[in-house]
Amino acid sequence: MTQSAWPFSGQTVSEAQFRAWARQAFGSAIYQGLTVATSTTGRQLTVSAGLASVDGCAYMSDSIVTLNVDANTTGQARRVYAVLRLNPSTDPHIQLVTINGPAGGGPATFTQTDTGIYEFPLGYATVSAGQVGGWSSATSSTNMLAAPRSTRIPVTVPTYAQLTLLQGTNGQKATVTNDTT
């Protein structure tokens, strides 16, 4: 059995090893921003600046990203998703892309593998049947995750107990006291 521990000097760590560890620690989550909206010009989605993890790997954007949306030549409405795609074969490894859902408006299927491609949906807009031009005034987007991951930690505190927790990214302390009988 091979054992390893890292990061230590001289220790080689592959991307697959790092992802296996980071997936357990961070998973896929939006920490800040990355709100999906329909563009006011053309058939596009915009994604605000923000920070996320995709299968344990970090993604950061410091400006709005605009994604073009394919014309819907089907006879039914469909969703178009803004997705963070982790692909170890591309540079950069994580990119914002669009994925079309099936005709009829149902959810898309996303690829999520442990060592290859992993797709994390941020939000979607519905493209009307036969829509080949810009958005109609009634088109809006839906964000998959309405808010960043909470910094609140749910805790059950026994009677007459006091507990101090570290909360948030700046190390603030929160004291929880439960003195009910």
Side-chain angles (χ1 to χ4, degrees), residues 27 37 40 62 69-70 91 95 133 135 140 145-146 151 164-165:
T40 56
D62 62 3
V69 174
D70 296 334
D91 190 22
Q95 298 178 3
W135 300 111
S140 64
L145 304 170
T151 58
T164 300
L165 304 170

Side-chain angles (χ1 to χ4, degrees), residues 149-154 167-168:
R149 184 166 62 176
S150 173
T151 58
R152 295 186 180 141
I153 305 167
Q167 180 173 311

Side-chain angles (χ1 to χ4, degrees), residues 77-112:
R78 67 168 164 79
R79 294 177 184 174
V80 60
Y81 292 83
V83 173
L84 285 174
R85 178 183 287 152
L86 168 60
N87 184 346
S89 301
T90 63
D91 190 22
H93 286 348
I94 301 175
Q95 298 178 3
L96 267 168
V97 299
T98 59
I99 293 180
N100 294 328
T109 301
F110 303 103
T111 302
Q112 296 183 335

Side-chain angles (χ1 to χ4, degrees), residues 49-142:
L51 174 66
S53 60
V54 180
D55 200 35
C57 299
Y59 172 84
M60 183 186 300
S61 174
D62 62 3
S63 62
I64 294 172
V65 176
T66 301
L67 302 169
N68 292 319
V69 174
D70 296 334
N72 184 5
T73 57
T74 70
Q76 298 178 330
R78 67 168 164 79
R79 294 177 184 174
V80 60
Y81 292 83
V83 173
L84 285 174
R85 178 183 287 152
L86 168 60
N87 184 346
S89 301
T90 63
D91 190 22
H93 286 348
I94 301 175
Q95 298 178 3
L96 267 168
V97 299
T98 59
I99 293 180
N100 294 328
T109 301
F110 303 103
T111 302
Q112 296 183 335
T113 64
D114 287 346
T115 57
I117 294 173
Y118 193 97
E119 295 170 335
F120 179 51
L122 302 176
Y124 67 88
T126 301
V127 183
S128 301
Q131 184 174 348
V132 294
W135 300 111
S136 68
S137 59
T139 301
S140 64
S141 62
T142 301

